[in-house]
Amino acid sequence: GVVSLGLISAVLHLPKKRAQARIDYLGAALLTIGITSIVLVTTWGGTEYAWTSARIMELIGIGVAALVGFVFWQTKAAEPVVPLHIFRSRNFTLMSIIGFITGFVMFGATLFLPLYQQSVQGASATNSGLLLLPMLGAMLVTSMVAGRITTNSGRYYVFPVLGSILMVIGLYLLSTMDTGTSRFTSGVFMAVVGLGMGCLMQITMLVAQNSVEMKDMGVASSSTTLFRTLGSSFGVAIMGALFNHRVQDTMAERGGALGSKVTEQSAQLDAKSLEKLPDAVREAYQYAVSAGTHSAFLLGAIVAVVSLVAAVFVKEVPLKGAGPQKSADD
């Protein structure tokens, strides 16, 4: 981070123009309340509180009311925190959707892959982090290559489409993992997902910025990041709920009364807890985790199809300052 700040200060020189602006305090407050409520619902739902509990219902009501109020106020505010006219750009709206899906998938994968590696493949907590390198490395390299090609050519349509296709395929491959899947095989599957996400991570931001006027570039960047963050929150919550439900059902079926008791507090056991289990129950848990990850990644693959559909409708408008110049996206 320090190196990045140093490079930005030394290399990035933009024209400066001072302007007076009114801060949309009410809009910022309503947006904060709405997003906080949503995050709390996805974090607490099914864990701290039942999905149908009064607390979750209250948070849903507060969140919906705040967001509806926020949208209404943005049409009235003199200088809105999120000017709604940016969503008139087809590309910006599509990039917001793709960013949401990317966050949904990425954080779900980074949550459940280490759990699968520790519980089923016998990796330590440290090694399970290192075993994510095929996905993270592929994502990093592909993101750099896609960004460079787009910057030089001004063209990018192929990357959202290719990235979404690879993400769907990779997630489906991850959903096929079972108790006999080797680390090498799972590493290849992770690399496919990483290649897909690498095609999308940088491009969603670039296209979103390119789809709005210069004065709206800041809010376009922050909004794209916000949608990705919300996607990660929903991904962890929904995939987690599905995973926990599948693990507990499978343990009850294969592990009997002891299996149900083992996972009644949490479907995720640490290494010390696993070592204390009888062999039969441990094998049942490994099978249950495989079944849980199958359901979670299959859901991720289905959700990623939405990203592919959105990518198909992206209108390729060459980046400003790169490639042949054309009129701005409608």
Side-chain angles (χ1 to χ4, degrees):
V2 172
V3 173
S4 298
L5 288 174
L7 288 173
I8 291 171
S9 300
V11 178
L12 184 62
H13 300 291
L14 299 175
K16 298 179 181 178
K17 182 180 179 181
R18 183 175 295 277
Q20 295 294 326
R22 297 174 59 184
I23 300 177
D24 181 13
Y25 290 106
L26 178 58
L30 289 170
L31 181 61
T32 301
I33 293 171
I35 291 175
T36 301
S37 299
I38 290 174
V39 172
L40 288 176
V41 167
T42 57
T43 303
W44 287 347
T47 55
E48 298 292 329
Y49 302 96
W51 285 106
T52 56
S53 67
R55 180 59 54 85
I56 297 299
M57 293 298 105
E58 289 170 0
L59 286 171
I60 292 175
I62 292 171
V64 170
L67 292 178
V68 170
F70 170 76
V71 172
F72 175 77
W73 175 247
Q74 294 308 280
T75 64
K76 306 295 183 182
E79 296 186 43
V81 65
V82 179
L84 299 182
H85 67 260
I86 63 176
F87 291 97
R88 295 174 187 168
S89 167
R90 182 173 72 184
N91 276 5
F92 176 81
T93 302
L94 292 174
M95 288 302 119
S96 297
I97 295 172
I98 293 173
F100 181 93
I101 301 301
T102 303
F104 188 105
V105 168
M106 182 174 67
F107 284 88
T110 54
L111 173 65
F112 294 109
L113 281 171
L115 178 61
Y116 169 84
Q117 290 161 341
Q118 292 178 55
S119 302
V120 180
Q121 295 182 330
S124 66
T126 302
N127 286 340
S128 67
L130 294 175
L131 289 172
L132 290 176
L133 285 176
M135 182 177 72
L136 301 179
M139 182 171 63
L140 174 63
V141 172
T142 309
S143 178
M144 293 173 62
V145 171
R148 176 59 59 185
I149 293 175
T150 301
T151 300
N152 291 337
S153 67
R155 312 198 72 85
Y156 48 79
Y157 178 82
V158 65
F159 293 113
V161 175
L162 178 61
S164 297
I165 291 173
L166 288 172
M167 197 160 60
V168 172
I169 293 174
L171 288 166
Y172 174 75
L173 291 174
L174 288 176
S175 75
T176 64
M177 295 189 304
D178 55 27
T179 55
T181 302
S182 67
R183 293 184 183 181
F184 175 79
T185 301
S186 61
V188 173
F189 294 168
M190 282 188 278
V192 176
V193 176
L195 290 173
M197 290 192 294
C199 289
L200 298 172
M201 292 291 290
Q202 191 79 349
I203 297 302
T204 52
M205 182 66 72
L206 286 174
V207 177
Q209 293 174 335
N210 190 61
S211 302
V212 299
E213 298 178 29
M214 184 66 70
K215 65 182 180 65
D216 294 322
M217 188 170 291
V219 72
S221 302
S222 60
S223 298
T224 303
T225 303
L226 173 62
F227 279 109
R228 185 180 299 166
T229 304
L230 289 176
S232 68
S233 179
F234 275 86
V236 169
I238 296 173
M239 294 174 75
L242 183 61
F243 172 86
N244 291 336
H245 180 74
R246 186 69 187 275
V247 168
Q248 290 169 348
D249 283 354
T250 305
M251 283 295 287
E253 178 183 341
R254 297 179 69 94
L258 181 57
S260 297
K261 186 176 181 180
V262 165
T263 57
E264 64 182 4
Q265 296 297 326
S266 174
Q268 303 177 26
L269 304 180
D270 56 27
K272 291 183 179 180
S273 299
L274 283 174
E275 291 175 358
K276 297 177 182 178
L277 295 177
D279 291 343
V281 178
R282 188 186 306 114
E283 290 177 2
Y285 182 72
Q286 290 174 336
Y287 182 88
V289 169
S290 297
T293 52
H294 165 76
S295 298
F297 287 127
L298 188 59
L299 172 64
I302 294 171
V303 172
V305 172
V306 177
S307 175
L308 176 58
V309 173
V312 170
F313 289 97
V314 170
K315 179 182 178 182
E316 187 169 65
V317 179
L319 296 179
K320 298 179 179 72
Q325 296 296 308
K326 294 184 180 182
S327 58
D329 181 26
D330 294 331

